[in-house]
Amino acid sequence: GKMWSSNCRVCPGGQTQSEKIDLTIDLQKGMYPGEPITFEGVADEKPGMTPGDLNFIVTQESHEYYHRDGDHLYVTMEIPLVDALTGFKHEFEHLDGHKFVVNVDDVTECDHVMRVSGKGMPRRGGRGGYGDLFITFDVDFPETLTVEQKKGIRKILGGRGSDEL
C-alpha cells in the first residue's frame, strides 16, 4: 500500500492506505513443483519497515496417466498378450496435447520399461530440449484358453509338455 508521512494529521485513515495492484505470474514450461515465484517488495508497508515479498509456490496437479519425476514422465500401459508377442503401435497424447506414435516390433516382457527420448517434460533453466518418457508394459494374460487355443499355441510356439491337453 501507500505510505504517508509519519505524524501527518491530514493523512486519510492513518499512516498507510490499502492499494490494489495487478501482478502477472509468468509460468515457464517445465517448472518444478515447489518452485517459488517471488514478487519483491510488493507486500504491505509499515512506517519504518521495508515492504515484504509476495511468494507463490508452484504446485503440480495429478494426471490420470502420467507421473512426473524431474524432467521425465512415466506411464504404465496394459497390453494384451497377442501384442506382447507380435508387436504393436500405440498413439500417445502428450500433456501439451501433441500426439506421437510408439512402435514396438519385438516381444515385450511383463514389466518391461521402454525409454522414449525427448518425450518427457521441457527442461528447465535454459538447458533446452525435453526429458524422456518411460513406458512400463503390463501384459494382460487371458484368464482361460480353450483346448483348441492351447493346441494352436503349442503348435505355433512349440514348448515342453505333452501333446495331449
Side-chain angles (χ1 to χ4, degrees):
K2 292 183 180 179
M3 190 168 68
W4 306 102
S5 301
S6 59
N7 299 325
C8 176
R9 292 182 193 167
V10 292
C11 293
Q15 294 181 340
T16 60
Q17 178 181 347
S18 293
E19 175 184 37
K20 288 187 179 185
I21 59 172
D22 291 328
L23 300 173
T24 301
I25 297 176
D26 184 24
L27 292 175
Q28 298 175 11
K29 288 183 178 183
M31 290 185 86
Y32 298 120
E35 193 170 342
I37 300 171
T38 302
F39 292 92
E40 296 179 359
V42 298
D44 288 340
E45 291 185 59
K46 291 188 178 181
M49 301 181 100
T50 305
D53 297 340
L54 179 60
N55 294 303
F56 292 89
I57 304 298
V58 174
T59 59
Q60 178 174 292
E61 292 182 5
S62 296
H63 190 271
E64 184 178 0
Y65 305 112
Y66 294 105
H67 166 73
R68 179 183 183 178
D69 186 9
D71 296 329
H72 302 304
L73 287 177
Y74 295 84
V75 67
T76 299
M77 180 181 174
E78 189 173 292
I79 58 172
L81 179 59
V82 67
D83 287 352
L85 294 173
T86 61
F88 59 94
K89 290 181 185 178
H90 183 77
E91 183 178 76
F92 287 87
E93 184 173 342
H94 200 277
L95 295 173
D96 65 7
H98 85 273
K99 295 181 180 183
F100 61 96
V101 175
V102 171
N103 294 311
V104 178
D105 296 324
D106 298 323
V107 173
T108 303
E109 296 181 18
C110 290
D111 296 325
H112 172 72
V113 178
M114 178 182 192
R115 180 182 200 150
V116 183
S117 295
K119 293 299 179 184
M121 294 297 291
R123 294 198 189 274
R124 182 82 171 92
R127 296 182 293 159
Y130 290 80
D132 298 332
L133 171 65
F134 293 88
I135 306 167
T136 301
F137 296 102
D138 281 344
V139 179
D140 184 22
F141 283 81
E143 292 186 26
T144 61
L145 294 172
T146 65
V147 171
E148 292 79 26
Q149 288 172 321
K150 290 177 184 180
K151 285 181 181 179
I153 292 170
R154 189 166 297 284
K155 183 177 179 182
I156 293 169
L157 297 179
R160 299 185 303 255
S162 169
D163 287 336
E164 294 181 29
L165 297 173

